[in-house]
Amino acid sequence: MAKFFNGIISEPMISYNDDQSIDFDTTAQIFSNLAHRGASGLFINGFGDETYSLSLTERLDIVKCAQKAVEGTDCLVVAVVFATCLRDALWLIREYKKLDVKAMCISLPPFYQMTPHAAYQYLSAQLKETEVPTIVFNCREMDQFASPELLGRLAHEFPNCQGYKDATRDIIHLNKCLDELDDLKEDFSIISGSDATLFTHMAMGASASVSFMSVPFLDQMKDIYDYFKAGEYEKAWQAQRIVLKLRTFMQQFPDSSAYIYAMKYTAKINVKGTRHPDDMLYIPEEELRKFDRMVEEFGILDR
């Protein structure tokens, strides 16, 4: 069995109307643009800050929008199960199954710490509820991690546990995970969960990346991946350096504001709104001009 998760799996944002309802037309454009430009997958309902502002039924509508948008491509829709309790997680999985999703991603809940056995119960109950290839996600921002030992136990007990999305940025933790998965390494997918660490993750055997940066800058993320796979490691590292410089600049500003603005560069899509206060989208004009110059200097507009 080959590794199921490969390439750049984009983590798209959602567009909103003025009344903060979902702007499905623009959202579908975002999804379709990524699928037709070469994203290997879409990580749907996986941007935690945004996803927790969506109702459970809205998340189903977003998955249906993605499924339609990727038709005619090889782009995989990965339906993400972010929930604050096991009841809601299992409900989402059952509803995703009705939509015939081909892959899912699960994680521990935010806000509170679980005992080791409760964490096993929480994740194993979700894996029992579906047979599709499933990723376990350690999200740094939610401060709730499945341990390397728990990850190894799940991967050995459940054949559909086929990937680990590592967003910890902790190389020691990742090494311990690799030790737990050593006998499964030919089939199990290690997935980079941070745009800052794709090169490092690939050096440690990662086969894929879940990437928010790839929504506006898909080609730049693919450069890292494609050069590395081709054995051109210096070019891969230089591509990673460009992404790091862009990312460092963009993360000065609130939430996803710089990512939304950056959609004008390559995707040419006017992403609208947020369910946060308007100031979460504010970037000073002089900083926008710096951004424009940076993108021009990197030759991104010429591609």
Side-chain angles (χ1 to χ4, degrees):
M1 181 175 68
K3 294 181 181 180
F4 187 83
F5 299 101
N6 296 278
I8 304 297
I9 302 171
S10 291
E11 188 176 18
M13 74 280 283
I14 295 167
S15 184
Y16 296 94
N17 297 309
D18 291 341
D19 63 359
Q20 296 193 347
S21 61
I22 297 170
D23 170 15
F24 281 102
D25 288 341
T26 306
T27 299
Q29 290 179 42
I30 298 168
F31 295 165
S32 179
N33 176 272
L34 290 165
H36 286 86
R37 286 174 55 217
S40 64
L42 299 181
F43 200 68
I44 300 298
N45 298 325
F47 180 30
D49 179 40
E50 182 171 71
T51 298
Y52 283 114
S53 74
L54 298 170
S55 70
L56 298 182
T57 54
E58 283 179 320
R59 298 185 209 182
L60 301 182
D61 292 335
I62 294 292
V63 168
K64 287 185 278 189
C65 178
Q67 289 175 317
K68 185 173 182 181
V70 304
E71 287 178 356
T73 74
D74 295 327
C75 189
L76 174 72
V77 173
V78 181
V80 181
V81 183
F82 274 156
T84 57
C85 64
L86 183 56
R87 179 203 63 176
D88 289 353
L90 295 177
W91 185 88
L92 271 172
I93 290 173
R94 292 170 189 139
E95 294 301 312
Y96 284 160
K97 286 168 65 176
K98 294 176 185 177
L99 299 180
D100 194 29
V101 300
K102 305 302 183 187
M104 295 191 201
C105 178
I106 63 175
S107 65
L108 292 170
F111 311 132
Y112 54 91
Q113 292 294 313
M114 286 192 160
T115 66
H117 187 59
Y120 169 78
Q121 290 175 317
Y122 191 89
L123 294 174
S124 64
Q126 294 178 68
L127 287 164
K128 290 174 184 175
E129 199 64 37
T130 179
E131 296 180 353
V132 301
T134 299
I135 299 166
V136 175
F137 176 18
N138 268 345
C139 182
R140 180 173 178 266
E141 288 72 17
M142 293 180 191
D143 196 29
Q144 174 88 289
F145 300 141
S147 68
E149 294 77 16
L150 175 54
L151 179 63
R153 180 178 178 184
L154 294 170
H156 284 90
E157 288 186 16
F158 298 95
N160 61 319
C161 182
Q162 293 187 26
Y164 167 50
K165 181 188 176 213
D166 175 39
T168 66
R169 305 176 210 167
D170 182 343
I171 197 168
I172 297 173
H173 162 85
L174 180 56
N175 268 293
K176 291 178 178 178
C177 290
L178 293 172
D179 284 344
E180 295 291 335
L181 298 162
D182 192 55
D183 61 319
L184 301 175
K185 62 186 177 184
E186 297 303 319
D187 303 322
F188 192 92
S189 300
I190 297 296
I191 301 162
S192 174
S194 171
D195 296 309
T197 61
L198 177 53
F199 181 92
T200 303
H201 270 93
M202 293 192 73
M204 297 178 71
S207 64
S209 169
V210 169
S211 168
F212 190 39
M213 178 68 78
S214 71
V215 185
F217 296 118
L218 178 61
D219 290 342
Q220 285 63 47
M221 290 302 298
K222 284 176 86 301
D223 281 349
I224 303 169
Y225 187 89
D226 292 342
Y227 281 135
F228 196 100
K229 294 291 283 187
E232 298 188 64
Y233 303 121
E234 179 59 29
K235 289 183 178 179
W237 173 239
Q238 294 307 321
Q240 177 73 85
R241 292 182 67 194
I242 289 174
V243 166
L244 284 169
K245 290 175 183 177
L246 288 167
R247 183 179 182 274
T248 299
F249 180 84
M250 294 164 74
Q251 290 200 335
Q252 299 176 81
F253 308 108
D255 196 46
S256 55
S257 55
Y259 295 80
I260 290 173
Y261 178 79
M263 292 296 284
K264 75 169 194 170
Y265 294 129
T266 55
K268 311 295 185 185
I269 297 174
N270 181 28
V271 181
K272 298 176 293 181
T274 175
R275 284 182 171 172
H276 294 307
D278 290 342
D279 198 58
M280 293 297 284
L281 289 178
Y282 175 71
I283 302 175
E285 189 67 26
E286 60 270 24
E287 297 299 325
L288 294 178
R289 301 292 75 81
K290 287 181 185 177
F291 201 1
D292 293 342
R293 290 193 294 273
M294 180 182 297
V295 168
E296 185 175 3
E297 289 169 6
F298 288 148
I300 291 171
L301 300 180
D302 298 331
R303 296 181 61 165

